[in-house]
Amino acid sequence: MQNFTVHQGVVATLDRANVDTDQIIPKQFLKRIERTGFGQFLFFDWRFLEDGETENPEFELNRINVKGASILLTRQNFGSGSSREHAVWALDDYGFRAVIAPSFADIFFNNCFKNGVLPIALSEEDVEELFQRAEKGNPYQLTVDLENQVITDGQGFERSFEVDESRRHNMLHGLDDIAQTLLHEEKITAFEEARG
Amino acid sequence: MSDASSTAPSQAGATSQSTGSRTLLDKIWDQHLVHAPESGPAIIYIDLHLVHEVTSPQAFEGLRINNRPVRRPERTIATPDHNVPTSDRSLPIADPISRKQIETLRENCKEFGVQLFDIDDVRQGIVHVIGPENGYTQPGMTIVCGDSHTATHGAFGSLAFGIGTSEVEHVLATQTLLQFKPKTFELRVDGELARGVTAKDMILYLIGQIGTAGGTGYVLEFTGDAVRNLTMEERMTVCNMSIEAGARAGMIAPDQTTFDYLRGRPECPADFDAAVEAWKKLPSDPGAAYDRSNVYKGSDIRPQVTWGTNPGQVCSVDSVVPSPGDSTDVNVQKSTASALQYMDLKAGTPITEIEINRVFIGSCTNARIEDLRAAAAVIKGHHCSEKVNAMIVPGSGRVKLQAEEEGLHKIFTDAGFDWREAGCSMCLAMNPDKLAPGERCASTSNRNFEGRQGKGGRTHLVSPAMAAAAAINGHFVDIRDWDYR
Ligand code: SF4
């Protein structure tokens, strides 16, 4: 897994609540058997017009000043619905390293940490303030510091954020969960033997 | 609809053993703890791992790259369901990419020694239908699958939830999962359901009450007389949609109904009576505390229809399409307005005046034999509206066989309904079964997201009886007034 320490990048906004994983990566792209190459299909039905090729000029990610954005700012319950990890793979492959929202759906939140994409939950008020700042910035940049658990824009916005210590540790060092768990293999074997 | 949710869903609760009066969740958790560190997630043992073709190829690939075997292949079962055609199975799959995905599952199962119920096996079907019907799903188990509707299996008093593909790989490699212990949320439904009101209406109503994020960070436990009185298949319908309320898992304590359903199923324990004695100890102790409890009255629930683009946007069949102005919350106003636009509905329209042109009866929510019987009871003696294209897709090969033994398929086909092979089908429209842009569908599935059943398609979630009645009339009708023939 790619590690995450400090990341500075352009913020793209997506001003919708309850964005589900069917929207993040529509089902017609789930047939691939690889982990890579999903970025081109991210938000496909919103991003492209009927022909599936022409960018929809109304869609926020197609704005000129967010090209190359690597931080997504959005509303509550992001990533709801289907458990498809393809949603995180698509965000990652498109170039997003962090997602900021007031809340996340459970499985999506978990999947992010498995792929080195950092989900950051801030209060509704802080998210609203970031939306306003992003609206004025052209482009608007944020720095996400996982080491110190701080997020800042260098122009007066600075907030700390919470993340579980074990997840933070794994992400800082890009550690693989399976290898970590297999350190406890004796316990798994003992458990299996005890149950017969 | 409320959207209250915790900000860091998976971090709630302790990981260690509980003491004193324990809930059903506490007991299952304690029985599966392999390792509970001071901080961070626990390692819990997984009893049953269900695998399908869409969320597993990258996990098997990961095993290959790292030269890891499947630790317990006998605790793993696989079936293709999402991507399979529901038309003639003797023909090759037309879409080369779908075909590749299904072949990949076949090869992976062979290479890693995992049992596969393939397309030509009567046991093939939607994973959440075949686990229970073959008796793999049992009380007290931990069950996972790379699929959010794994919550279905919680109907047996097991802890069952969906996981991502990285976690699928983790379970394949270690037979365990890293988990923070979730909080518990009791949803109690007292009294009785009125005639014509089904388990589907109960769960849609509850989602409407707590919102699509109301259960985030929790395991739901459904209790109360109205839940106790449900059959096993109805309980599965309820638990299935826990994820639509934001909860990873939903559960119902095992009781005589559970044991009666399981007795005689092929994969049940050889010493069934001893197993029952152990299962009887699982229900929450008297006085065990839930982190949250809500109480509802069964008699308040009427047949439900979703009008919007998430399952929380739901109302009773005898009411009208809501208006953004009904709420004072700007976020709710915005999402109502955008849902009405996508659904092409006007606020104030009576639900029974909404015309439909497609019907889908199927999915892991409502494609079991009782669902098909309920649909058949409505359809018998009637005919599908000329304006409506209606399809019925059984949840598994066994369900299909049973329905045909009972002659249900004759009732369907005589009435102009399309009777198909088992699979997920138009629940997610990954195979050729899909809505065209602008088509409007009464569906017994679980998600009404934009484009879920086909780009530009519009989905209204309902019970099987309500879907059948809508097919006959070409618009929604209140099933409580139905003319059963
Ligand atoms: S029937 Fe639908 S919800 Fe159920 S497993 Fe299949 S695609 Fe998922």
Side-chain angles (χ1 to χ4, degrees):
Chain A
M1 183 180 83
Q2 59 183 338
N3 71 338
F4 190 117
T5 48
V6 179
H7 175 78
Q8 182 176 35
V10 170
V11 176
T13 56
L14 184 62
D15 192 3
R16 307 183 194 211
N18 299 310
V19 172
D20 57 77
T21 53
D22 273 74
Q23 307 313 322
I24 300 174
I25 181 88
K27 76 303 218 88
Q28 63 268 37
F29 308 114
L30 304 185
K31 297 179 184 180
R32 298 163 63 89
I33 55 170
E34 301 84 21
R35 247 176 206 264
T36 50
F38 288 97
Q40 54 188 313
F41 310 123
L42 179 72
F43 297 120
F44 192 87
D45 291 349
W46 288 344
R47 220 167 108 202
F48 299 101
L49 295 178
E50 287 301 312
D51 64 5
E53 283 171 22
T54 319
E55 285 191 353
N56 174 2
E58 311 260 289
F59 185 58
E60 292 154 285
L61 252 57
N62 290 331
R63 289 184 190 161
I64 193 77
N65 62 349
V66 300
K67 289 287 168 198
S70 58
I71 299 172
L72 185 65
L73 176 67
T74 185
R75 300 290 184 182
Q76 81 256 21
N77 198 27
F78 186 76
S80 56
S82 158
S83 59
R84 57 187 74 164
E85 196 163 318
H86 311 64
V88 181
W89 299 337
L91 287 163
D92 179 29
D93 192 52
Y94 184 87
F96 285 114
R97 297 298 322 274
V99 185
I100 303 171
S103 60
F104 295 91
D106 211 350
I107 303 177
F108 174 84
F109 187 79
N110 213 26
N111 285 341
C112 283
F113 286 99
K114 313 286 180 194
N115 291 280
V117 173
L118 184 62
I120 303 171
L122 295 180
S123 70
E124 294 262 2
E125 297 73 43
D126 286 345
V127 167
E128 180 55 36
E129 179 169 352
L130 282 175
F131 262 95
Q132 286 173 16
R133 285 174 177 251
E135 201 55 46
K136 294 190 203 106
N138 196 14
Y140 180 64
Q141 295 219 355
L142 280 170
T143 303
V144 178
D145 179 348
L146 180 59
E147 194 109 44
N148 298 301
Q149 295 176 233
V150 182
I151 177 166
T152 156
D153 68 355
Q155 303 166 54
F157 184 93
E158 184 173 318
R159 296 288 184 283
S160 60
F161 60 88
E162 284 185 30
V163 49
D164 169 72
E165 184 45 39
S166 62
R167 283 178 161 147
R168 175 171 161 273
H169 179 83
N170 286 0
M171 202 122 162
L172 285 172
H173 301 97
L175 297 179
D176 164 23
D177 275 351
I178 298 178
Q180 299 283 101
T181 297
L182 288 174
L183 296 176
H184 299 282
E185 192 169 5
E186 276 175 25
K187 285 194 172 139
I188 301 173
T189 306
F191 182 92
E192 286 175 332
E193 281 168 0
R195 291 174 115 209
Chain B
M1 185 190 92
S2 94
D3 267 316
S5 69
S6 66
T7 50
S10 298
Q11 299 180 20
T15 56
S16 58
Q17 294 248 354
S18 39
T19 49
S21 296
R22 295 183 302 163
T23 61
L24 171 60
L25 173 72
D26 292 332
K27 295 181 191 184
I28 299 177
W29 183 265
D30 292 351
Q31 285 173 8
H32 291 83
L33 260 188
V34 172
H35 175 59
E38 293 277 304
S39 71
I43 299 178
I44 62 163
Y45 197 75
I46 300 302
D47 294 319
L48 176 64
H49 186 189
L50 306 165
V51 172
H52 67 71
E53 78 278 22
V54 178
T55 55
S56 67
Q58 296 86 354
F60 283 112
E61 184 61 18
L63 292 183
R64 252 189 303 272
I65 291 168
N66 293 292
N67 209 5
R68 290 172 177 143
V70 172
R71 183 179 174 90
R72 299 298 298 266
E74 76 281 12
R75 292 192 175 275
T76 315
I77 56 170
T79 194
D81 55 2
H82 284 63
N83 224 333
V84 298
T86 55
S87 48
D88 190 348
R89 287 281 164 82
S90 59
L91 302 172
I93 300 174
D95 176 354
I97 318 176
S98 292
R99 195 166 64 224
K100 177 96 198 283
Q101 199 172 52
I102 290 166
E103 278 165 7
T104 303
L105 179 68
R106 218 168 266 155
E107 285 159 17
N108 284 331
C109 287
K110 204 163 157 221
E111 180 181 343
F112 289 93
V114 170
Q115 177 162 29
L116 173 72
F117 299 141
D118 211 339
I119 285 190
D120 51 5
D121 191 318
V122 68
R123 293 168 298 179
Q124 179 270 342
I126 306 171
V127 277
H128 312 311
V129 176
I130 69 170
E133 77 182 1
N134 289 295
Y136 284 103
T137 302
Q138 294 162 24
M141 280 185 163
T142 48
I143 302 174
V144 295
C145 174
D147 193 283
S148 60
H149 290 100
T150 310
T152 313
H153 308 263
F156 291 79
S158 63
L159 174 60
F161 51 90
I163 56 179
T165 298
S166 295
E167 291 178 312
V168 170
E169 187 181 337
H170 192 283
V171 177
L172 289 172
T174 70
Q175 204 56 40
T176 68
L177 201 56
L178 297 169
Q179 280 293 298
F180 291 92
K181 188 173 176 187
K183 293 177 287 181
T184 49
F185 188 171
E186 178 193 23
L187 293 173
R188 196 174 96 202
V189 186
D190 288 335
E192 284 182 18
L193 297 179
R195 197 178 137 267
V197 176
T198 67
K200 181 66 165 286
D201 302 302
M202 181 194 283
I203 187 63
L204 284 171
Y205 173 84
L206 293 173
I207 296 164
Q209 295 293 309
I210 71 172
T212 54
T216 305
Y218 293 96
V219 164
L220 306 179
E221 186 179 334
F222 301 95
T223 67
D225 284 345
V227 174
R228 282 281 133 237
N229 290 335
L230 298 175
T231 66
M232 276 323 293
E233 295 195 0
E234 291 169 330
R235 292 179 189 187
M236 287 187 244
T237 300
V238 171
C239 288
N240 172 272
M241 291 189 72
S242 301
I243 184 71
E244 273 63 55
R248 258 177 120 164
M251 51 197 346
I252 295 174
D255 58 13
Q256 200 54 44
T257 304
T258 323
F259 312 144
D260 291 346
Y261 175 94
L262 284 172
R263 189 179 289 276
R265 304 235 167 218
E267 301 300 329
C268 274
D271 190 348
F272 192 79
D273 293 325
V276 167
E277 286 316 304
W279 295 339
K280 282 185 176 162
K281 301 195 180 91
L282 287 167
S284 298
D285 297 329
Y290 296 95
D291 295 292
R292 240 184 113 183
S293 284
N294 283 4
V295 181
Y296 302 93
K297 278 209 255 22
S299 55
D300 285 346
I301 306 175
R302 287 169 282 168
Q304 303 285 299
V305 180
T306 64
W307 50 266
T309 53
N310 73 52
Q313 292 177 322
V314 64
C315 64
S316 302
V317 65
D318 53 4
S319 56
V320 300
V321 174
S323 146
D326 294 350
S327 170
T328 51
D329 179 330
V330 295
N331 279 323
V332 176
Q333 290 174 358
K334 266 200 264 181
S335 55
T336 302
S338 97
L340 293 186
Q341 192 190 7
Y342 181 85
M343 294 296 289
D344 191 29
L345 288 175
K346 282 203 185 58
T349 308
I351 296 295
T352 49
E353 285 178 16
I354 299 174
E355 296 196 356
I356 51 124
N357 39 30
R358 296 291 298 269
V359 164
F360 172 65
I361 297 178
S363 90
C364 57
T365 314
N366 282 129
R368 298 181 181 82
I369 192 68
E370 290 176 10
D371 298 312
L372 302 186
R373 286 181 193 141
V378 170
I379 294 167
K380 200 169 176 204
H382 294 272
H383 199 275
C384 185
S385 158
E386 274 175 10
K387 297 179 302 186
V388 177
N389 167 345
M391 65 198 290
I392 304 185
V393 182
S396 72
R398 281 197 201 280
V399 171
K400 178 165 193 270
L401 211 63
Q402 167 98 28
E404 292 179 352
E405 274 169 24
E406 295 180 17
L408 303 184
H409 67 306
K410 278 289 287 170
I411 297 177
F412 300 145
T413 50
D414 286 352
F417 287 69
D418 195 6
W419 173 241
R420 306 184 73 99
E421 298 287 338
C424 294
S425 178
M426 207 164 71
C427 172
L428 92 165
M430 248 183 112
N431 75 352
D433 311 339
K434 54 177 79 130
L435 296 181
E439 282 190 318
R440 188 180 295 282
C441 182
S443 177
T444 67
S445 56
N446 44 53
R447 287 187 175 138
N448 51 344
F449 297 151
E450 288 184 24
R452 171 79 178 183
Q453 295 191 295
K455 189 172 177 182
R458 301 178 178 123
T459 301
H460 296 271
L461 303 176
V462 289
S463 72
M466 286 280 289
I472 290 158
N473 285 272
H475 58 82
F476 291 110
V477 291
D478 190 334
I479 195 66
R480 291 172 298 181
D481 307 329
W482 191 249
D483 163 29
Y484 285 93
R485 292 183 185 163

